[in-house]
Amino acid sequence: MMKKKEIDKIELYKKYKIVFIDPTGDTGWCDEKEFQNFNPDHCVIEGYVFSKDTKFVRTFASYSVDEHFRITSFGDRNVLPTSCIVEMILINGDKK
C-alpha cells in the first residue's frame, strides 16, 4: 500500500490520456492504391505529463522513489511533438 508521502510526490504531475498521430513508415514495395491508403496511426498514451511547452509534451508512466519518497528516476518515457497531438484528456475528466 502506498504511504501518504508517496502519493503527495506524484501529485506534482497530472495524469493524462493523450491521443496522437504517429508517423508511419514502410520499406516495402506497394502499388498506387495501397500507397493512397497508407496513413499514420492514431495512438494513445496514458501517463503523467512531466513537462509541456509549445513544441513538445514529455510524459512518463513509471517512476522510482528514495526512502523519503522523493522521485529519483522516470521510466516509460515519451516526447511528443505538440503538432502530432490530437487530444489531451486529464484522467480525472477535464479536456486540455
Side-chain angles (χ1 to χ4, degrees):
M1 177 167 233
M2 290 180 75
K3 296 180 182 178
K4 176 70 174 146
K5 289 180 186 178
E6 260 184 293
I7 295 168
D8 288 345
K9 298 299 180 186
I10 195 59
E11 285 180 353
L12 297 172
Y13 303 97
K14 302 293 183 200
K15 192 171 185 179
Y16 282 87
K17 177 179 180 178
I18 301 171
V19 180
F20 66 99
I21 297 173
D22 192 23
T24 304
D26 187 356
T27 60
W29 294 92
C30 70
D31 61 26
E32 189 174 320
K33 185 177 179 182
E34 279 183 281
F35 204 1
Q36 289 294 336
N37 292 321
F38 187 51
N39 295 305
D41 291 324
H42 280 75
C43 300
V44 176
I45 291 174
E46 285 193 18
Y48 298 96
V49 172
F50 178 79
S51 66
K52 179 183 174 195
D53 59 33
T54 58
K55 292 182 180 182
F56 301 108
V57 174
R58 290 172 175 83
T59 67
F60 66 96
S62 58
Y63 57 95
S64 60
V65 296
D66 65 13
E67 66 275 0
H68 301 290
F69 305 105
R70 294 182 296 238
I71 296 174
T72 58
S73 59
F74 302 90
D76 303 317
R77 299 171 298 135
N78 292 284
V79 178
L80 302 169
T82 56
S83 61
C84 292
I85 295 174
V86 175
E87 184 175 33
M88 289 180 66
I89 303 166
L90 193 58
I91 292 295
N92 74 4
D94 297 334
K95 290 186 179 181
K96 291 284 176 178

